[in-house]
Every structure is written in C-alpha cells, then in structure tokens.
Amino acid sequence: MTMKRCRVAALRVNMRTVAFVTVILLFNSCSSTDEPSFIDDRAGILSSQQKDYLRDYNEVLLNDLDIHFKLVILAERSEDINETAAVLFGNLGSRTSGAKGLLFLIDPQGQQARVEVGYDLESVFPDSFVGYIEQKQMTPFFESGKVGIGVSAATELFVSRIQSALSGLEFDPDVEIGDQRYYSGGGGARVTVAIGSGTGSNPARAVGTFVAGDSPEETLREYMRVLRTHTKDPQLGLYTPETRDFFEKWLVTDGQQDNELRLLEQSKPEKVVVSGDYAVIRYSAEQRTHAPYFFKKGADGWMLDFLTMSRVIQMNHKNNFHFKTFDHPYRFAFSDWQFDKNGFPVISR
C-alpha cells in the first residue's frame, strides 16, 4: 500500500461506517501486505466453522459486489464504541473501487454493537436503515447467543438493499423499513445488546388466527398477513405439521419478515402448479431472488411446507436461489425449466 492511500484512510476515520476493528489493525493495514481481512474474533465467540463460513462468504462479496465486509468482536469493553469503530475502520474498503467498507463491531463486555459504513455506501445504507438492521435483525440473534448466524442474517439484508440499489431503486424508508425510524447518536448506528440474554424468546401464540386456505394462492395471501403483523407463532395452521416442528427451533425476526414481505409485494407469481396434494407457486426464472413456495394439502386446506423448502432450496451470496437437490416431491413444477450443474435455473434468451 502506498503512503498516499494510508493518508486517505486516516482522513476517513470520521465517516459514517459499519466497523468493528482495532487500533492495531489500523497500523497493520498501512504496513502489511494489504491482505484483505474479514474476521477478527478477539472474544473467541465464533466456532472455527462459523469463522471459515463468514470469511469465505465475505471474500465472495468483495469479489462479486465490490464491498468489503468485516466483523470484529472485541474481547474488552470499549469506553466509546463510536470512536473505537471510527479508528478501527481504518482503510477498510481500499480493496474496492471506492470507499465501500462495511464494518460490524460487537462489544460483548460493553453490551453494545455498532455498524460503520464507508463513504461511498452512505446513500445505499443510510443511518436509519443501519439502525433498523441492528435492532430488528442483529439484536434478536445476538440476544439468543447466535452471533455468527446473526451476522450472516444481517449481511443478507444488506445485500438485498444493494441489489435494490443496483436495480435503480433508491432507498425509501416507508417501503424498506416501515413508518418507524431507527436513528442513533453520531454517525453510523449503535445499538445496546446483551449477548445470550435470551430476550425476545417464546413468541406469542396466535393459533387459530392464521389458517390454511382453500387454494395455495389464498394461503400465500394469509402468510403475507403473518409477515405484515410480525406474527412469529410457529404453530400456525397454515404451516404443515413438520414445518411447525421446524419453526419451534428457528428464530424469526422482524427484519426477515419485512424483507420477505417486500419481495412478495414487489412481484407477481409467474405460475401456480398443482399435482395431487402438492403445489408450487413459482416466479419467473429471471427473478432469481424470488424462491418458489411449496404447499401440501391437508384436511384443513393448503399448508406451506417450509421444512422441505429449507432442505432443498439454498440462497447464494447474491440472494439468488438454487436447488441443493432435486430429490423432492415438488420437482414436477419445474419440468419445463432447465438448470445448470449447481442447481440454478437457466434463463432462456
């Protein structure tokens, strides 16, 4: 790295960023071989598997989306997390085409976290959006002790916002995060969170309120009402019994529900395919961020089969879906599609 780049990095320490790094990293970044870094777990919270996954995932995001994500988990309490984040952000983003660094800083001892956003990303990730992701996506996972999963889940929503921006959609808080605003003092966004506190568990029961519909379309509309009301009861009648057991062990956040609802409201399904007691609502192959929905018919109507969806459908780093396996009872709905070797639908030209 040149001295000029180091000076530029120093001038950017006051910009609004999403960072969790240390003073030592700042000096190392200007004297080392400039090797990109993605994970710095000083508290030893993450497993080696989680660190490997996040490192690989963030490296792909850097190469494909030109954004440098980094996670830093502090071992000791920060007396001023805003200042710590600014200093530790350093020259994050120097490997991108501009100041496109995104830093997640977690302070378990101080029960706080902060996200710092690089200068060239401020219009894509305004403070209100960052604060929303911290409070409605990261915090529930962190309080449940699922730090690695929480970071991955938050990153997915940042990627979703990037994709909207690349499609020419400017940030609209009423659409993206609803009518409530999420701000914090100073640049960027800070949130108070106690890792592993267990707050927010045991969702309120709403059995009998949301039931299976007489058609897959009716059930999907009912599910959109579940998302809109932030209902998290895993035992709803519009889910298959197996899905209910699956959701008992799954954490659902407001951020996830808002994002899924937005995707559903943005596009209309291409086709509804029914075969016996199984049905699929699918979107066009061009809409790769819109995964299909699986339904199974029971005595009370058409139920959503999220368990099978979770087993056979996977989203990549760009939130594009592909099939992990074609060994499932819903394969009939895609007989007119072609897929590549990785299970992604092939777009016909």
Side-chain angles (χ1 to χ4, degrees):
M1 174 184 293
T2 65
M3 288 301 295
K4 179 179 179 181
R5 181 170 293 177
C6 289
R7 287 196 297 269
V8 172
L11 290 173
R12 286 176 177 159
V13 296
N14 290 322
M15 67 183 164
R16 291 172 290 174
T17 49
V18 184
F20 306 103
V21 284
T22 63
V23 178
I24 295 177
L25 287 178
L26 174 60
F27 291 114
N28 285 344
S29 66
C30 290
S31 59
S32 69
T33 58
D34 198 25
E35 188 70 15
S37 179
F38 305 102
I39 305 294
D40 185 10
D41 179 15
R42 303 172 184 185
I45 289 179
L46 303 178
S47 66
S48 58
Q49 183 179 12
Q50 289 174 322
K51 286 189 285 188
D52 289 343
Y53 171 80
L54 290 172
R55 185 182 299 108
D56 293 344
Y57 186 84
N58 288 352
E59 186 170 11
V60 172
L61 290 177
L62 175 60
N63 294 331
D64 285 7
L65 293 179
D66 193 33
I67 293 179
H68 192 166
F69 284 74
K70 181 167 184 176
L71 167 67
V72 177
I73 306 176
L74 300 178
E76 299 180 358
R77 175 189 177 94
S78 170
E79 296 302 325
D80 187 340
I81 195 170
N82 298 333
E83 181 179 353
T84 299
V87 172
L88 298 181
F89 188 84
N91 68 331
L92 188 66
S94 63
R95 280 299 188 98
T96 70
S97 63
K100 297 180 181 179
L102 195 62
L103 189 57
F104 293 179
L105 177 59
I106 303 173
D107 177 9
Q109 297 299 320
Q111 298 188 359
Q112 56 187 335
R114 180 175 173 83
V115 174
E116 290 281 337
V117 183
Y119 179 79
D120 288 340
L121 294 176
E122 289 184 2
S123 61
V124 181
F125 306 133
D127 287 354
S128 57
F129 175 80
V130 174
Y132 165 80
I133 296 300
E134 286 183 340
Q135 295 180 41
K136 298 299 183 179
Q137 184 75 332
M138 294 171 68
T139 296
F141 280 102
F142 290 177
E143 290 178 338
S144 297
K146 301 175 180 179
V147 175
I149 297 176
V151 170
S152 298
T155 302
E156 290 175 5
L157 296 192
F158 276 103
V159 171
S160 182
R161 172 86 278 280
I162 294 169
Q163 291 172 322
S164 295
L166 292 175
S167 300
L169 298 176
E170 295 184 1
F171 177 73
D172 183 345
D174 293 332
V175 174
E176 302 276 356
I177 62 177
D179 56 3
Q180 187 175 352
R181 297 294 177 260
Y182 301 84
Y183 293 101
S184 65
R190 172 195 173 277
V191 66
T192 300
V193 56
I195 308 297
S197 65
T199 306
S201 59
N202 300 320
R205 297 299 183 182
V207 177
T209 305
F210 301 95
V211 298
D214 294 332
S215 67
E217 298 96 319
E218 184 178 336
T219 298
L220 188 60
R221 287 193 294 270
E222 188 78 345
Y223 178 60
M224 290 175 70
R225 197 162 67 89
V226 170
L227 299 175
R228 195 172 290 113
T229 57
H230 290 161
T231 299
K232 297 175 178 58
D233 183 4
Q235 295 297 323
L236 298 180
L238 79 170
Y239 302 141
T240 62
E242 296 80 8
T243 294
R244 296 170 204 171
D245 292 339
F246 169 70
F247 277 158
E248 284 285 359
K249 306 177 185 68
W250 196 257
L251 178 62
V252 179
T253 69
D254 288 356
Q256 291 170 327
Q257 291 182 314
D258 290 343
N259 189 60
E260 187 173 4
L261 177 62
R262 179 173 54 82
L263 289 173
L264 284 167
E265 292 178 335
Q266 281 180 346
S267 302
K268 293 182 179 180
E270 175 203 47
K271 197 173 185 180
V272 180
V273 189
V274 180
S275 178
D277 290 337
Y278 295 92
V280 172
I281 292 182
R282 77 181 198 193
Y283 297 83
S284 68
E286 289 80 5
Q287 295 175 298
R288 293 189 172 187
T289 58
H290 293 65
Y293 286 86
F294 295 170
F295 300 82
K296 187 175 182 180
K297 191 174 184 180
D300 297 325
W302 289 95
M303 298 171 289
L304 278 158
D305 185 2
F306 280 110
L307 176 62
T308 301
M309 290 170 61
S310 71
R311 287 176 174 173
V312 307
I313 299 175
Q314 189 172 42
M315 309 301 284
N316 72 353
H317 64 286
K318 292 184 178 180
N319 290 341
N320 293 334
F321 84 90
H322 63 103
F323 285 107
K324 294 186 289 185
T325 176
F326 291 103
D327 183 19
H328 58 84
Y330 300 93
R331 181 69 178 86
F332 66 89
F334 307 94
S335 60
D336 57 332
W337 279 13
Q338 292 183 328
F339 297 87
D340 65 19
K341 63 179 181 180
N342 296 313
F344 288 93
V346 176
I347 301 176
S348 57
R349 299 297 181 184

